[in-house]
Amino acid sequence: MCDTNSLFQKQKELCLSGIDWSRKGSVDGPITEVVKFINGSENYFTTSSCSGRIMVFENSNDVVQKKGCKWLYTTHESATGELVMDSIKNATGNAVFKFEPFVLHVQCKLLEHAQKLHSVAVASGFRNSGITVGTKGKIITAVRSTHSMEVPLSDNGNILVSDQYIDFLVKCANEKLEENFNRIERFFTNYKEMINSPDKQLEKELKKQQKKELKQAQDKLKQKTTLDTQDVDDDNLNFFCFDET
């Protein structure tokens, strides 16, 4: 019977030596170094990732689903209104514009490793991060946030928005993508600090950064006259759940 360390190493070797079943078939360029560094760590390895992207996809059903949908446009860099508009000119179904932020799933050797990684993720701005523990003992930390956006552009081939509005959507998505990359950079810096520093020093630095992030969030709320529900979720939603995998 394998001990925890041996089982974890076998799972890591199997995962990292397998085929990448994503549509792209490889790790996104902007997070290549992040993924490589994590996979070189003793107590962690990545199981899936996306650096964040702006996309347009078409779905013929009323329910928007990724599976089975047709991708009309996708980029992991800044988008342009012209390319977005060109992508929907020949759409016959329901075209949807979407920004998806960074997401990273990391298998951890022990629960304490998962908790440390979760603290790093939250301190870096990924406040919707969480930990799942499967019935077979797999411990996964999901690094993610909620600053996404999704807007319908056409209905059964009929374009519903103007060029000007698409330019506005692209501008908003590009700003979110820029903030997304800033958070990834903070996460990478904090992760390396966690790996290379004593636990007490890491805890001190994380608490310091969490206080800074909290103050920034409080200052931001004071400037608003109305409360944005999505921002509240992004700043406050954390979870710990167990699944059946």
Side-chain angles (χ1 to χ4, degrees), residues 41-82:
S41 304
E42 180 181 358
N43 302 315
Y44 304 95
F45 67 90
T46 62
T47 59
S48 65
S49 63
C50 177
S51 65
R53 61 189 176 188
I54 299 170
M55 60 187 297
V56 178
F57 62 91
E58 181 182 12
N59 195 304
S60 59
N61 301 317
D62 292 334
V63 179
V64 177
Q65 297 176 335
K66 284 185 186 178
K67 188 175 181 179
C69 68
K70 179 182 179 182
W71 287 17
L72 304 177
Y73 172 76
T74 182
T75 179
H76 296 278
E77 301 175 349
S78 295
T80 65
E82 182 179 359

Side-chain angles (χ1 to χ4, degrees), residues 215-228 231-232 235-236:
K215 186 178 184 304
Q216 290 176 343
Q218 290 173 338
D219 291 342
K220 184 178 179 181
L221 286 175
K222 288 179 182 179
Q223 296 174 358
K224 291 186 176 182
T225 57
T226 58
L227 191 63
D228 184 281
D231 285 343
V232 171
D235 288 341
N236 296 290

Side-chain angles (χ1 to χ4, degrees), residues 92-138:
T92 57
N94 303 327
V96 178
F97 178 87
K98 188 172 186 178
F99 164 72
E100 294 181 328
F102 171 70
V103 62
L104 181 71
H105 292 94
V106 182
Q107 186 166 336
C108 311
K109 184 184 292 185
L110 300 173
L111 185 57
E112 64 186 73
H113 300 136
Q115 291 169 333
K116 290 178 182 179
L117 182 58
H118 179 265
S119 295
V120 166
V122 173
S124 304
F126 296 101
R127 298 184 185 88
N128 195 38
S129 298
I131 300 170
T132 61
V133 180
T135 55
K136 295 183 179 180
K138 282 189 178 181

Side-chain angles (χ1 to χ4, degrees), residues 58 70 72 84-95 154 156-159:
E58 181 182 12
K70 179 182 179 182
L72 304 177
V84 171
M85 180 57 79
D86 287 344
S87 72
I88 65 173
K89 285 182 177 178
N90 297 319
T92 57
N94 303 327
S154 70
N156 292 323
N158 298 315
I159 298 177

